[in-house]
Amino acid sequence: QVQLVESGGGLVQAGGSLRLSCAASGGTFRSYAMAWFRQALGKEREFVATISRYGYTTQYADSVKGRFSISRENAKNTVYLQMNSLKPEDTAKYYCAASSGLLTQVPEGADYWGQGTQVTVSS
């Protein structure tokens, strides 16, 4: 059983940056592809970014490409999401997810979820 704990969310002005972290425990971290999803109020959970088990492959939603960067440190059992040039439409609760399979861009592909961290971008 893998436990995931996100941190780093907060309130930021448009154009600013935040770095989210997700610490994993209870499993072999490098066995999992990792992903970030987000869910805005009243909307469905959507894919943001995903990274392969050893970090060689990353994929991004078109809406964040060029602004967000996903990375991982297997030695620290942690995955990160660097978010730059933030926009008000990035406001959402951000969730970390672990997949025992390949990279996943759909919530159904995740095996474990964190509780989420709120990101609010003011205009």
Side-chain angles (χ1 to χ4, degrees):
Q1 191 78 3
V2 176
Q3 292 81 44
L4 302 172
V5 178
E6 302 95 336
S7 61
L11 174 64
V12 64
Q13 288 188 332
S17 299
L18 281 175
R19 188 196 198 201
L20 305 184
S21 300
C22 172
S25 61
T28 304
F29 183 66
R30 63 181 180 275
S31 297
Y32 296 91
M34 300 297 295
W36 288 95
F37 291 81
R38 66 187 182 187
Q39 188 166 16
L41 206 59
K43 295 189 176 181
E44 293 187 351
R45 193 166 296 190
E46 66 173 5
F47 167 73
V48 176
T50 187
I51 187 167
S52 59
R53 291 179 294 171
Y54 290 93
Y56 295 131
T57 303
T58 58
Q59 296 172 353
Y60 297 91
D62 288 343
S63 59
V64 306
K65 209 170 286 184
R67 300 189 297 122
F68 289 13
S69 178
I70 188 171
S71 61
R72 66 189 294 164
E73 285 190 78
N74 286 351
K76 294 185 178 181
N77 291 351
T78 302
V79 62
Y80 305 97
L81 185 68
Q82 178 66 44
M83 305 186 295
N84 300 326
S85 302
L86 282 161
K87 305 175 181 179
E89 50 263 44
D90 294 319
T91 295
K93 196 165 190 179
Y94 284 70
Y95 295 88
C96 174
S99 170
S100 57
L102 300 176
L103 296 171
T104 182
Q105 295 190 12
V106 296
E108 294 77 13
D111 298 296
Y112 302 101
W113 291 91
Q115 294 300 305
T117 185
Q118 179 67 36
V119 172
T120 302
V121 184
S122 63
S123 56

